[in-house]
Amino acid sequence: MRIAIAGAGNVGRSIAQELIGNGHEVMLIERQPRQLCPERVPEARWVLADACELSSLEDADLAGCDVVVAATGDDKANLVVSLLAKTEFAVPRVVARVNRAENEWLFTEQWGVDVSVSKPRLMAALVEEAVTVGDLVRLMTFRQGEANLVEITLPKNAPYEGQPVRSVPMPRDAALVAILRGKRVVVPTPDDPLEAGDELIFVCTAEVEDQVRAVVLGSS
């Protein structure tokens, strides 16, 4: 994929390195000359420009990108970049960084954001995920589809412990997408049994989260 990243600070550069390592073509857009450090990510295309300026994005050929990542440290800038990428350049996928938790409600499809990543929310979710057994933890929200990535660590004596995946009556708009079992990642098949301690990863809409919790844990 061709991916543009607005913001070449530590976060933007780290994202770029990961994506380049996975074989993608990356362009870093940075407006601060002091942050322009091509030697740190030499495989990327570096552009000195203001990603909030329409003309700058036109010059950078943003319309040719498959994904835009708004990764600056300024939430206002990330919202502007997201909106321009979606409305002016019809970029298929826009991912935006949320720096301040109180601004998270703004990062919706109305602002062109397909997926928002809130560092405070993600850190809190990871803390919960590490210590919580027998409850549902929301890991990430996919705004445009109004779906969430959620995790439930299966406790002992759960209703479907030891039973195959096919026996779990999942509600509509919910799917079990992965099982984390020790150091293994299991792509679930209908015949895979569920074990106590499994971390079950679901994609579901917010409306059915309580149903997923009730089915898996047997609670009302």
Side-chain angles (χ1 to χ4, degrees), residues 45-67:
R45 174 190 171 196
W46 287 73
V47 176
L48 179 61
D50 187 344
C52 293
E53 292 288 341
L54 186 61
S55 59
S56 298
L57 299 180
E58 289 174 343
D59 292 342
D61 188 26
L62 206 73
C65 291
D66 303 294
V67 181

Side-chain angles (χ1 to χ4, degrees), residues 188-208:
T189 68
D191 295 325
D192 284 319
L194 300 180
E195 300 178 6
D198 281 353
E199 296 181 47
L200 308 180
I201 309 297
F202 299 89
V203 173
C204 63
T205 60
E207 289 75 11
V208 301

Side-chain angles (χ1 to χ4, degrees), residues 103-169:
N103 295 331
E104 189 176 358
W105 66 278
L106 288 166
F107 286 72
T108 65
E109 61 181 348
Q110 282 75 27
W111 278 94
V113 179
D114 295 311
V115 179
S116 65
V117 181
S118 169
K119 291 168 64 178
R121 177 183 288 276
L122 184 57
M123 290 179 70
L126 292 173
V127 170
E128 288 184 297
E129 185 271 336
V131 300
T132 304
V133 176
D135 202 0
L136 182 147
V137 177
R138 184 180 295 177
L139 300 176
M140 185 177 291
T141 297
F142 304 101
R143 294 291 185 180
Q144 189 174 39
E146 297 183 353
N148 298 319
L149 188 71
V150 303
E151 182 265 353
I152 300 176
T153 299
L154 198 68
K156 290 184 177 180
N157 303 317
Y160 295 98
E161 180 192 358
Q163 297 191 38
V165 169
R166 65 171 178 271
S167 67
V168 182

Side-chain angles (χ1 to χ4, degrees), residues 5-17 27-37 40-41 46-47 69-74 78 97 99 119:
I5 301 173
N10 291 331
V11 173
R13 292 196 305 269
S14 296
I15 296 170
Q17 288 169 336
M27 173 173 58
L28 279 161
I29 305 173
E30 175 57 52
R31 68 183 182 90
Q32 298 286 354
R34 67 176 181 274
Q35 293 277 30
L36 211 67
C37 306
R40 296 195 179 183
V41 192
W46 287 73
V47 176
V69 182
T72 80
D74 185 332
N78 289 341
R97 170 188 177 188
N99 296 279
K119 291 168 64 178

Side-chain angles (χ1 to χ4, degrees), residues 74-97:
D74 185 332
D75 285 343
K76 295 188 293 296
N78 289 341
L79 286 171
V80 171
V81 171
S82 299
L83 186 62
L84 290 175
K86 185 65 71 174
T87 59
E88 298 294 330
F89 299 96
V91 175
R93 188 75 163 169
V94 177
V95 179
R97 170 188 177 188

